[in-house]
Amino acid sequence: MPARPLVRPLVAACLALTAACGGYSPPGSRSLRVLPRPDACGELPRAAVEKALDGPVGKCTADAQEETHGVRFQVSPKRRPAALVVSYQRRYAPKTGLDLWEVHGFVEGEKTLLIGVGEGALFDPVAATVLAVSEHLLVTVGVQSAVKIPREGLPDRLLPVLEAALDLGEEAVGATAPPEAPFSPRPGS
């Protein structure tokens, strides 16, 4: 049996090879040609963000890259330096079809599965993040701080933001997805 640190790269390599050989295509009829960029700064519930940060929000900035979209909420400058980061990326790699949930959603070490959020979710106490997956997106919510972040109750503070961010992302997917062709059965079926 391979050593535990080798399991994650081995799974990713197998999935990449499957996708590269044309033996894999993502499920669902919608293709994410363009990564949606929801207005998370303006539309995520401010009370949930402030509870996750344990303080008032000073400002929010957005950053859109080709493969990711994220926002960063910063605590008011009068408090300790801390930020809440919400990021979106496609679930399936555009070039290979690799399901990135198979890589990022791998439960190991101190990571724990969360129930009732998207198609799957987990909490990583070491990185102070929660991650959820839907049909099309991976959404990550995490706290960054100059001081050590208490683990006690952290998932409970981050989950409302994660759920709202996932809903917001899926709404944006629906707004940018090409219309689905109506179902028409083949003659004689």
Side-chain angles (χ1 to χ4, degrees):
M1 183 166 151
R4 188 147 179 87
L6 295 177
V7 172
R8 181 185 236 172
L10 183 61
V11 168
C14 290
L15 290 170
L17 285 173
T18 301
C21 295
Y24 180 79
S25 61
S29 58
R30 291 185 266 172
S31 172
L32 283 184
R33 290 175 181 81
V34 177
L35 180 69
R37 289 168 169 61
D39 178 18
C41 282
E43 296 199 28
L44 286 177
R46 188 61 54 137
V49 171
E50 289 180 347
K51 184 176 180 183
L53 277 170
D54 192 29
V57 173
K59 68 178 181 174
C60 180
T61 54
D63 182 28
Q65 303 293 321
E66 185 177 339
E67 297 298 324
T68 62
H69 170 65
V71 296
R72 180 183 181 88
F73 294 93
Q74 291 183 290
V75 171
S76 174
K78 296 176 183 175
R79 309 243 333 173
R80 62 171 167 55
L84 180 77
V85 178
V86 178
S87 68
Y88 296 87
Q89 72 181 68
R90 291 177 184 90
R91 177 178 179 169
Y92 299 99
K95 293 181 182 174
T96 63
L98 174 67
D99 184 353
L100 297 174
W101 176 246
E102 295 294 330
V103 177
H104 297 294
F106 194 78
V107 179
E108 63 184 351
E110 294 184 43
K111 292 180 183 178
T112 55
L113 288 174
L114 303 173
I115 297 173
V117 183
E119 292 179 22
L122 60 86
F123 169 62
D124 184 348
V126 174
T129 61
V130 288
L131 169 71
V133 65
S134 69
E135 184 179 358
H136 300 287
L137 297 173
L138 283 174
V139 179
T140 306
V141 175
V143 176
Q144 299 172 337
S145 178
V147 296
K148 188 173 180 177
I149 300 164
R151 293 181 186 185
E152 188 68 33
L154 185 60
D156 294 330
R157 293 194 318 266
L158 295 178
L159 269 175
V161 178
L162 179 65
E163 291 169 336
L166 191 60
D167 290 343
L168 190 60
E170 280 302 311
E171 287 172 15
V173 167
T176 60
E180 295 183 29
F183 174 75
S184 57
R186 289 184 281 181
S189 48

